[in-house]
Amino acid sequence: MRLEKILKEEKIFASFLKRINRFVVEVKVGEKRVSSYLPNPGKLLELLLPSAKVIMIKFKEGKLPYLVLGVIKDGEAVLLHTHLTNQIIAELIERGEIPFYRGFRVLKIEPSFGHSRFDLLLEKDGHKVLLEVKTCTLFNERIAMFPDAPSARGTKHLWHLAELSKKGLICECLFVVMSQKPTLFLPAYSIDLSFARAFYEVRKRVRLRAISLRISEDFREFSFYKELSIPWKKLETALEDRGLYLLVLKLERDQEIEIGALGRIFFKKGWYIYVGKAMKNLTQRLARHHRKLKKPRWHIDYLCSIAKLEAEFPLRAPKITECELAGLVKGFAEDEIPCFGSSDCQCLSHLYYFEDNPLRNRKFIEFLTDLRMNL
């Protein structure tokens, strides 16, 4: 759907209820529960929280009745429709609103080069610029990061742009932040280390920039707001594969589980968060936790063989210790499992119980977002 048509469409406001899958959400319009198409595969944990205000339009091109455009977060309209971002940037360039692209025109949309398709091909005075555009929805008051979920496609684009630059083509990647608040931008090294490493390695061959947009709540007006700084020195210290992590597990029923030397322990039905650390090979450690068949080594291995591992949150270059993190998580929990995962420290436990899903708890998600973005 073209940008011009969407701008004219009547906007429908709804309350977010739940995410059914990557591209479908359930919302409440008035007193009616309906499904809506979400054109964004990101996790969006900090945006799609219970009762969040969702902005939609009627969707006549698909099976679902509505199309999600965005969500309101702390009074700001956040665009979630990733395909629209490219159209917005193309229009802002044509209007001369982005300072460093003034005088450029959009020569082609979605040009193909080899095995990749990029977003825009620009031209000014006979010079061509290949531009890839990325939508950034992960941010707090100070910093924005991309991606909010591992992005093999994003990493591939960076490396391909770097290769094309060797052939004399000017290549750039523009990260479009959907908030006016942050002043800094970084790749999300805790979420996708491969992308962050590629971002750092290609910096001399691919021009990397980040800007923020000003968006009206009715999604009728979009404008350039400012360019964000990239703290390269901080990024240099955050690219090692080690740090802390949180595991979010779900147990479907009450049961006793054998936990190594701790013996049989009763676990209540519900949610659990485990706090761990890996001083090297953090990525490998997380992959191990996903395997059901393995020789148990740690207390968490026994629980992972029974419970469903719902989510993982690595924290590279953390500013706090494992025990400090455990203490912070404990502040949100209803209970803890004594001696679990804490045999080598003074903590009572590193495993905490939640009756309800902590990933739908606004305060916990805000805590988690700031934790992952703490410079």
Side-chain angles (χ1 to χ4, degrees):
M1 189 177 286
R2 299 300 301 169
L3 177 62
E4 297 81 6
K5 185 177 180 181
I6 287 177
L7 294 180
K8 295 176 182 177
E9 288 282 338
E10 180 184 355
K11 306 306 183 298
I12 299 163
F13 295 90
S15 295
F16 175 78
L17 295 175
K18 65 180 180 179
R19 196 165 185 172
I20 297 172
N21 58 44
R22 291 175 73 195
F23 297 105
V24 180
V25 295
E26 186 177 55
V27 299
K28 190 174 183 180
V29 182
E31 296 301 317
K32 187 178 179 181
R33 300 168 73 104
V34 298
S35 294
S36 182
Y37 175 58
L38 173 69
N40 190 316
K43 286 191 175 181
L44 309 175
L45 285 176
E46 60 289 331
L47 297 175
L48 296 181
L49 289 164
S51 299
K53 189 176 182 181
V54 175
I55 300 94
M56 312 183 299
I57 59 173
K58 288 186 177 179
F59 194 33
K60 302 173 184 177
E61 300 176 10
K63 296 179 180 178
L64 297 173
Y66 300 102
L67 168 71
V68 173
L69 293 182
V71 65
I72 303 298
K73 179 185 179 184
D74 299 331
E76 285 188 311
V78 179
L79 180 68
L80 298 182
H81 194 323
T82 56
H83 296 148
L84 282 184
T85 305
N86 304 340
Q87 297 181 44
I88 291 168
I89 294 303
E91 182 169 317
L92 292 179
I93 290 172
E94 292 284 3
R95 283 164 27 189
E97 286 196 24
I98 303 177
F100 44 82
Y101 289 133
R102 284 197 183 116
F104 280 88
R105 67 186 181 96
V106 178
L107 194 63
K108 190 173 183 180
I109 294 174
E110 296 189 348
S112 294
F113 286 81
H115 54 275
S116 295
R117 186 173 64 181
F118 297 95
D119 292 316
L120 301 172
L121 184 63
L122 312 180
E123 188 272 337
K124 179 182 180 182
D125 300 330
H127 299 286
K128 295 178 181 177
V129 173
L130 181 59
L131 178 63
E132 177 67 9
V133 178
K134 300 293 186 187
T135 303
C136 177
T137 59
L138 177 62
F139 56 84
N140 62 10
E141 296 287 330
R142 182 168 172 242
I143 187 167
M145 287 185 167
F146 178 92
D148 83 331
S151 176
R153 183 172 180 270
T155 303
K156 173 189 147 186
H157 276 151
L158 289 182
W159 286 121
H160 196 186
L161 286 170
E163 287 300 314
L164 290 171
S165 72
K166 292 179 181 179
K167 300 177 182 179
L169 188 62
I170 300 173
C171 297
E172 303 189 1
C173 189
L174 180 67
F175 297 86
V176 183
V177 179
M178 299 302 167
S179 172
Q180 300 170 41
K181 296 174 183 177
T183 57
L184 302 174
F185 174 84
L186 276 175
Y189 47 83
S190 284
I191 295 171
D192 191 339
L193 184 60
S194 295
F195 180 85
R197 285 175 170 173
F199 183 95
Y200 184 79
E201 290 296 325
V202 307
R203 70 193 187 283
K204 294 181 180 179
R205 287 178 281 166
V206 179
R207 177 164 285 177
L208 304 164
R209 286 188 170 115
I211 64 170
S212 61
L213 296 184
R214 181 188 288 113
I215 305 171
S216 64
E217 186 172 319
D218 61 3
F219 282 83
R220 290 185 181 274
E221 298 179 6
F222 302 83
S223 59
F224 168 83
Y225 184 65
K226 66 184 175 186
E227 184 174 4
L228 282 68
S229 300
I230 300 175
W232 292 104
K233 289 294 183 182
K234 169 59 184 176
L235 183 58
E236 288 177 2
T237 66
L239 297 178
E240 294 186 25
D241 193 16
R242 62 190 181 94
L244 310 179
Y245 61 91
L246 302 178
L247 301 181
V248 181
L249 304 106
K250 183 181 181 181
L251 203 57
E252 296 288 356
R253 61 182 178 85
D254 295 349
Q255 59 186 297
E256 283 192 349
I257 302 174
E258 187 79 31
I259 306 292
L262 295 181
R264 296 189 68 79
I265 296 177
F266 175 76
F267 288 84
K268 292 182 286 188
K269 170 186 175 181
W271 301 78
Y272 292 83
I273 292 184
Y274 173 75
V275 179
K277 70 176 178 180
M279 298 316 294
K280 60 180 181 178
N281 300 324
L282 176 54
T283 301
Q284 185 177 324
R285 175 71 62 84
L286 293 173
R288 171 190 169 85
H289 289 317
H290 281 274
R291 297 199 305 269
K292 291 292 185 182
L293 298 177
K294 57 182 176 283
K295 183 178 179 180
R297 180 177 177 184
W298 296 289
H299 294 159
I300 189 62
D301 290 339
Y302 296 92
L303 183 58
C304 282
S305 67
I306 303 296
K308 181 181 179 182
L309 181 48
E310 293 280 346
E312 60 185 45
F313 297 96
L315 301 169
R316 295 181 175 88
K319 282 193 167 183
I320 58 176
T321 67
E322 179 187 15
C323 294
E324 288 172 334
L325 177 56
L328 291 171
V329 174
K330 180 179 179 178
F332 292 93
E334 278 89 50
D335 204 353
E336 59 189 321
I337 308 302
C339 302
F340 194 106
S342 58
S343 55
D344 58 349
C345 68
Q346 300 301 311
C347 299
L348 177 61
S349 178
H350 279 189
L351 181 68
Y352 301 95
Y353 171 75
F354 297 76
E355 184 176 353
D356 299 314
N357 185 354
L359 301 184
R360 291 177 63 81
N361 180 312
R362 183 178 298 274
K363 289 186 178 180
F364 181 76
I365 290 298
E366 289 174 352
F367 156 75
L368 188 59
T369 301
D370 289 340
L371 187 67
R372 291 193 292 174
M373 307 178 81
N374 183 11
L375 296 182

